[in-house]
Amino acid sequence: MTEQMRWPAIVLVVVSTVVWGMLFGPFLWTEPLDLPMGLAVCGPAPLLIREVVRRRGGGWPALMMFGAGFGAAQYALVGVISLAGLQNVPGGLHYGEPFCLTWVSALGYIAMYAVWAITLPILLTELVFGDRRSQPWLRRTGIVAAAAVLVVVDSLVICAIWALPWAIDRQPPAFPLPVRSLGVAVMAAVLLAAGWWSTTALRGRGESVTAPAPAAAMVGLVALAGSSAWLGINRVADGELPIPAVLLCYLLLLMGGALLIRRWLSRTGFDDRHRLACYAGALAGYVIDQSLMFRPTGVDLAFDVAVCVVAVVLLWRLGKIVR
């Protein structure tokens, strides 16, 4: 790997690690299962997805769909197993949807991967290396090594989950594991196929229009509001709204966000400052949501504050660089 290719790949891993720490907090470094999962996302997954998309000339829609497909695959391999039997535990998750899965929870998990864990680190890193935004960052040996690490880490996580006592002590769900994983696995295959198709069929920028781009601060606030709305639906809807209504809200937000981003990209004057504001707003929405939900204290709070300070400093420095 040449010097020109090495640094973007290293920075992407660093940015992914910081973002992952913002998403999942200090237990990334303390829980034995979350550490390898974090490494799987921080390292090979964003690198591989970016290589596939950029080598085929794809844009942000392909990154999102590949990220969603990867999230669905992770949920099928890990999430379905780790949540086994919770529908029979007082205060646990409420099952009863098709294939005995919490589809609202699954969609939240998939969206977290698609937007925050995969796409945002890639786009943030590409802002740093704007002149190499569309170029490959890995050679064939790097792609093979990243894929091998991802397979090994996921295999270890699955084995570790099966080894936990609670994975076998709880009352089994109504459907066996293969059936419960089937629905999400099919969704993962469809999303990955859609991502492959979109690398050539869809582009990130529509035809230019004469309307000026909104202010960068406005873009950031809209991204903050949109991410907060997406994350807040699951909090408000828990046991209060029927599943179809929740899924419809998700669909409307997804379509509205995609159309708005495409419209912004087509306006004159929409530059990297606007992109940075959009990414920062989405990250801030997730951090605020997690802080309100978990209300960390003590060491957890100190860790969260430290990670957020590092993230703010990095974003501030990046804002000085981009045009």
Side-chain angles (χ1 to χ4, degrees):
M1 184 183 297
T2 64
E3 194 77 16
Q4 189 178 18
M5 299 171 68
R6 181 186 301 116
W7 280 111
I10 293 174
V11 171
L12 176 54
V13 173
V14 173
V15 172
S16 297
T17 303
V18 174
V19 172
W20 191 258
M22 293 174 66
L23 299 184
F24 293 101
F27 62 79
L28 171 63
W29 316 107
T30 57
E31 294 294 332
L33 293 182
D34 292 311
L35 178 57
M37 282 192 65
L39 293 175
V41 173
C42 293
L47 286 172
L48 289 172
I49 289 173
R50 188 202 170 275
E51 286 300 302
V52 171
V53 172
R54 295 311 188 198
R55 284 172 182 264
R56 288 179 55 82
W60 65 267
L63 290 174
M64 293 277 287
M65 278 187 268
F66 268 106
F70 177 74
Q74 290 291 101
Y75 191 84
L77 292 172
V78 177
V80 172
I81 302 173
S82 62
L83 297 176
L86 279 176
Q87 81 280 11
N88 299 309
V89 179
L93 297 175
H94 301 288
Y95 280 70
E97 293 82 10
F99 299 108
C100 200
L101 275 176
T102 52
W103 284 97
V104 172
S105 174
L107 287 177
Y109 188 96
I110 292 169
M112 181 273 294
Y113 271 85
V115 178
W116 288 277
I118 299 294
T119 303
L120 283 180
I122 293 174
L123 296 178
L124 282 169
T125 306
E126 289 183 343
L127 285 181
V128 179
F129 301 95
D131 57 334
R132 284 167 269 178
R133 187 172 298 175
S134 59
Q135 299 175 3
W137 291 351
L138 295 177
R139 290 183 175 178
R140 182 175 300 178
T141 53
I143 294 174
V144 172
V149 171
L150 182 61
V151 171
V152 169
V153 169
D154 270 350
S155 301
L156 292 175
V157 170
I158 293 174
C159 293
I161 289 177
W162 276 111
L164 291 175
W166 54 259
I168 57 177
D169 289 345
R170 289 174 178 163
Q171 183 179 351
F175 291 91
L177 176 62
V179 176
R180 288 184 287 120
S181 297
L182 178 61
V184 188
V186 170
M187 183 190 299
V190 171
L191 288 169
L192 291 173
W196 183 267
W197 167 80
S198 68
T199 55
T200 55
L202 298 178
R203 301 299 178 187
R205 179 181 291 273
E207 296 183 2
S208 297
V209 296
T210 57
M218 179 60 66
V219 173
L221 290 175
V222 172
L224 172 62
S227 61
S228 299
W230 178 281
L231 297 166
I233 287 176
N234 196 27
R235 311 281 180 265
V236 176
D238 188 19
E240 301 294 333
L241 294 176
I243 298 300
V246 177
L247 299 182
L248 178 61
C249 291
Y250 278 143
L251 179 62
L252 293 175
L253 272 175
L254 180 62
M255 293 177 60
L259 291 174
L260 184 60
I261 291 173
R262 191 170 180 84
R263 184 175 180 83
W264 279 344
L265 287 171
S266 66
R267 294 192 172 189
T268 56
F270 194 95
D271 54 20
D272 284 349
R273 291 174 300 170
H274 295 81
R275 293 182 177 90
L276 178 60
C278 182
Y279 309 155
L283 285 173
Y286 201 102
V287 171
I288 293 172
D289 176 81
Q290 296 300 291
S291 299
L292 293 176
M293 182 173 64
F294 294 110
R295 301 184 183 277
T297 58
V299 176
D300 292 352
L301 178 60
F303 180 92
D304 288 350
V305 171
V307 171
C308 289
V309 168
V310 172
V312 169
V313 171
L314 291 176
L315 291 172
W316 176 77
R317 287 295 302 163
L318 186 55
K320 296 292 185 179
I321 299 173
V322 300
R323 297 183 298 274

